[in-house]
């Protein structure tokens, strides 16, 4: 699916996730949207003589839900239609850079070509430094947001939303969640677009300087020369030989000697005879070292941005999408693989686990319950026959008991192994049923229960695997919407 469709789908997911009590979207609304989307997707597939795909179904369903919400809440419709401001930025910044570049060499005397022109040398030096930095970044792990601040990234991605006061609380929470989700999902696309804009702006800046040099040369006579308090002719010759080496080597331009440099010192009688020569050298150098490389980098960034725009990398294997696609018949039934740790399930809890899986992934879901790993057993030994990224498994979840106390060397080591070994990520389920039974028997233990939940959540977050609290004896005590609350780990 393309970027726009993915944005609508993610927005609908945020609405359904935040609307746990079905305040803005009733069961009938969701059922109607799914049925209509299934029929429209089947009609679209039949018309094009192809199979129904997940993308077609999710696109049609998102359109139905956003249309319904827009009719009920016009303020939400206006926000949902907003887009990022990249189009204006992509055009405005390069044009501004062209204008500024055209005036940069006017800092000095407009009637002379300074061989040691600070503005022109700064343009060349800065861009060479940028190329070296980009090369170094290839071997250095990138920061999560790169060099862009989270606030700017959110604004450029179109996820910076100003919420009207009269917007229902559920929709306000949904838009806030969408802002966070979309900023993270579209980060690579935003970085590619921003890189394209910055490279194009740098090329236009240098192009403006080139155009200005030649334009003024047609209307006035340049006097070429140099002056310096600390540098001699030999040192100036060495510097300019390095700067102009690409232009002299690749283009039919004449070189220069130390004597030529010495003759152009401004302490001597100035002459306009050599002005054109140095304009050509600077113009060719800016073209070879700045304009062409930056245009190539901008082209690469544009290719990356267009590829992600046309095929947005949205993971449709997540629980929310798997349940919807399972209901639509566009994907195979989901499989929830559960890895208990020091926790043996009895029959009632086994049935409760099946109910949790059904809630998360739909009626056709299968539960694959592995034998429990013993307390203190090394994960590499107990899971040696396990393929963590099995394509036939939708989600792999570790199951702990809330009654246990989390220990770094045991529970933590088990989690670390799974997070490190699974590219797709794992989920963590923590069953509170045993501890709840004790709390009922002992009045006043609600505080202890809340403290234990907070302890486990903090522990799992530390090990990069957010936890979902469930009650396997009474699943309705901890109701889960489609995919809501079931987060997958992310390798650092």
């Amino acid at each position: 699916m393309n970027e726009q469709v993915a944005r609508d789908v993610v927005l609908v997911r945020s609405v359904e996730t935040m609307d746990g009590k079905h305040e803005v979207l009733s069961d009938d609304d969701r059922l109607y949207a799914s049925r209509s989307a299934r029929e429209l997707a089947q009609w679209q597939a039949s018309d094009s003589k192809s199979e129904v795909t997940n993308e077609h179904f999710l696109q049609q369903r998102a359109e139905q839900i956003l249309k319904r919400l827009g009719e009920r809440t016009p303020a939400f419709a206006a926000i949902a239609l907003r887009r990022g401001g990249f189009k204006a930025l992509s055009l405005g910044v390069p044009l501004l850079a062209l204008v500024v570049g055209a005036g940069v060499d006017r800092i000095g005397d407009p009637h002379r070509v300074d061989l040691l022109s600070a503005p022109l040398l700064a343009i060349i030096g800065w861009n060479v430094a940028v190329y070296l930095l980009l090369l170094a970044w290839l071997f250095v792990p990138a920061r999560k947001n790169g060099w862009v601040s989270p606030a700017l990234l959110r604004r450029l991605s179109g996820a910076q939303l100003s919420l009207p006061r009269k917007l229902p609380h559920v929709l306000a929470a949904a838009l806030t969640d969408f802002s966070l989700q979309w900023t993270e999902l579209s980060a690579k696309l935003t970085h590619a677009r921003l890189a394209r804009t910055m490279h194009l702006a740098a090329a236009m800046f240098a192009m403006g300087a080139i155009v200005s040099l030649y334009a003024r040369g047609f209307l006035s006579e340049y006097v070429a020369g140099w002056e310096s308090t600390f540098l001699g002719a030999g040192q100036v010759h060495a510097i300019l030989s390095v700067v102009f080496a690409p232009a002299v080597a690749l283009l039919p331009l004449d070189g220069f000697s130390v004597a030529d440099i010495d003759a152009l010192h401004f302490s001597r009688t100035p002459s306009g005879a050599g002005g054109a020569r140095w304009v050509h050298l600077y113009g060719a150098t800016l073209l070879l070292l700045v304009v062409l490389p930056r245009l190539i980098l901008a082209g690469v960034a544009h290719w990356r941005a267009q590829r992600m725009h046309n095929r947005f990398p949205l993971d449709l294997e997540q629980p929310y999408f798997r349940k919807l696609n399972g209901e639509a018949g566009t994907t195979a039934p989901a499989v929830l693989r559960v890895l208990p740790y020091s926790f043996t399930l009895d029959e009632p809890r086994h049935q409760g686990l099946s109910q949790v899986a059904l809630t998360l992934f739909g009626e056709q879901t299968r539960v694959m319950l592995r034998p429990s790993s013993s307390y203190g057993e090394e994960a590499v030994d107990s899971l040696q026959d396990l393929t963590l990224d099995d394509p036939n498994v939708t989600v792999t979840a570790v199951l702990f008991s809330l009654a246990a106390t989390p220990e770094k060397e045991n529970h933590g080591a088990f989690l670390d192994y799974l997070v490190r070994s699974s590219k797709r990520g794992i989920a963590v389920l923590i069953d509170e049923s045993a501890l709840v039974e004790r709390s009922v028997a002992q009045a006043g233990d609600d505080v202890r229960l809340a403290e234990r939940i907070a302890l486990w959540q903090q522990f799992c977050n530390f090990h990069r695997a957010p936890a979902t609290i469930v009650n396997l004896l009474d699943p309705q005590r901890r109701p889960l919407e489609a995919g809501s609350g079931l987060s997958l780990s992310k390798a650092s």
Side-chain angles (χ1 to χ4, degrees):
M1 64 179 66
N2 61 34
E3 177 190 3
Q4 181 54 51
V5 174
R7 188 181 189 276
D8 290 344
V9 169
V10 173
L11 178 55
V12 169
R13 180 179 66 175
S14 293
V15 172
E16 292 193 274
T17 300
M18 294 294 106
D19 188 24
K21 297 181 180 179
H22 297 197
E23 297 176 24
V24 297
L25 281 175
S26 65
D27 290 330
D28 290 339
D29 291 333
R30 304 180 192 214
L31 183 60
Y32 173 80
S34 295
R35 287 179 176 175
S36 299
R38 183 165 55 248
E39 293 174 359
L40 289 171
Q42 289 173 349
W43 174 80
Q44 186 177 11
S46 176
D47 189 53
S48 60
K49 297 181 180 180
S50 60
E51 295 183 356
V52 178
T53 64
N54 300 342
E55 289 85 353
H56 289 157
F57 170 72
L58 292 173
Q59 176 183 359
Q60 297 293 344
R61 188 175 185 275
E63 290 178 0
Q64 295 288 328
I65 290 179
L66 291 179
K67 180 180 178 181
R68 181 65 59 91
L69 290 174
E71 293 172 349
R72 295 173 178 171
T73 312
F76 176 82
I79 294 175
L81 291 175
R82 290 181 188 174
R83 301 293 178 261
F86 243 116
K87 184 171 291 186
L89 186 71
S90 298
L91 295 175
V93 172
L95 288 177
L96 179 62
L98 180 66
V99 174
V100 175
V104 71
D105 70 319
R106 292 178 179 266
I107 296 175
D109 188 341
H111 295 287
R112 82 180 198 182
V113 178
D114 192 344
L115 272 61
L116 296 176
S117 172
L120 298 180
L121 290 175
I123 294 174
I124 297 170
W126 166 254
N127 281 275
V128 171
V130 168
Y131 303 149
L132 294 176
L133 186 61
L134 291 175
L135 184 62
W137 275 356
L138 295 176
F139 306 97
V140 177
R143 293 170 51 193
K144 184 175 182 180
N145 295 320
W147 52 274
V148 186
S149 68
L152 179 60
L153 195 65
R154 187 161 51 251
R155 182 176 296 276
L156 294 177
S157 66
Q160 183 71 38
L161 305 174
S162 55
L163 306 180
R165 296 180 180 178
K166 295 183 179 180
L167 199 66
H169 173 73
V170 172
L171 292 181
L175 288 171
T176 301
D177 179 73
F178 165 76
S179 177
L180 298 174
Q181 296 292 332
W182 185 249
T183 299
E184 181 177 354
L185 290 171
S186 62
K188 290 184 178 180
L189 175 57
T190 304
H191 276 290
R193 285 174 171 164
L194 191 57
R196 176 186 62 191
T197 301
M198 293 298 100
H199 289 312
L200 189 58
M204 291 300 100
F205 187 83
M207 184 62 72
I210 295 173
V211 170
S212 178
L213 276 173
Y214 279 96
R216 288 193 294 115
F218 283 106
L219 303 177
S220 61
E221 182 180 17
Y222 279 127
V223 175
W226 64 278
E227 58 186 358
S228 174
T229 302
F230 302 106
L231 300 178
Q235 294 168 308
V236 173
H237 176 268
I239 294 172
L240 296 181
S241 295
V242 173
V243 172
F244 296 140
V248 173
L250 298 176
L251 298 175
L253 296 174
D254 295 331
F256 46 89
S257 63
V258 176
D260 294 332
I261 299 296
D262 186 57
L264 292 174
H265 197 283
F266 278 124
S267 63
R268 295 169 174 76
T269 303
S271 171
R277 175 188 190 182
W278 298 100
V279 168
H280 293 325
L281 283 171
Y282 262 115
T285 299
L286 288 171
L287 182 67
L288 292 175
L289 294 185
V290 181
V291 177
L292 292 180
R294 287 289 195 161
L295 288 178
I296 292 173
L297 290 172
V300 172
H302 176 73
W303 173 78
R304 290 176 54 228
Q306 285 300 111
R307 184 181 62 173
M308 285 185 282
H309 169 76
N310 295 328
R311 295 293 302 172
F312 192 85
L314 184 61
D315 183 12
L316 300 182
E317 294 299 315
Q318 295 178 7
Y320 172 85
F321 299 120
R322 284 301 298 256
K323 180 176 181 179
L324 290 178
N325 293 327
E327 293 175 352
T330 57
T331 188
V335 175
L336 174 64
R337 178 170 57 188
V338 180
L339 312 177
Y341 182 83
S342 186
F343 186 13
T344 302
L345 274 69
D346 53 21
E347 185 61 27
R349 287 183 173 84
H350 196 171
Q351 293 177 359
L353 182 61
S354 298
Q355 183 63 36
V356 169
L358 185 148
T359 302
L360 289 171
F361 300 102
E363 297 180 358
Q364 304 299 320
T365 306
R366 292 193 303 109
V367 175
M368 183 187 299
L369 183 62
R370 292 267 308 183
S372 176
S373 298
S374 302
Y375 174 82
E377 184 179 7
E378 294 290 339
V380 67
D381 296 328
S382 62
L383 305 176
Q384 58 182 344
D385 61 334
L386 187 70
T387 303
L388 285 174
D389 293 321
D390 188 343
N392 297 317
V393 174
T394 306
V395 171
T396 297
V398 183
L399 178 62
F400 294 118
S401 173
L402 189 67
T405 301
E407 299 175 355
K408 180 179 179 180
E409 61 276 11
N410 293 306
H411 306 85
F414 194 78
L415 279 179
D416 288 341
Y417 171 80
L418 291 172
V419 172
R420 187 172 58 249
S421 304
S422 177
K423 296 179 181 179
R424 295 170 57 187
I426 62 163
V428 177
L429 299 176
I430 301 180
D431 175 38
E432 67 169 11
S433 59
L435 203 57
V436 167
E437 285 183 323
R438 298 179 192 173
S439 300
V440 172
Q442 301 175 9
D445 266 8
D446 290 344
V447 175
R448 180 169 175 265
L449 177 65
E451 291 175 348
R452 181 59 65 90
I453 290 175
L455 174 64
W456 266 102
Q457 289 177 332
Q458 182 180 10
F459 177 82
C460 292
N461 286 332
F462 176 79
H463 290 279
R464 310 187 306 278
T468 299
I469 307 299
V470 295
N471 190 310
L472 298 184
L473 289 182
D474 182 13
Q476 294 305 316
R477 177 182 168 87
R478 297 282 182 178
L480 299 175
E481 286 294 325
S484 173
L486 188 62
S487 302
L488 300 182
S489 65
K490 295 181 181 180
S492 58

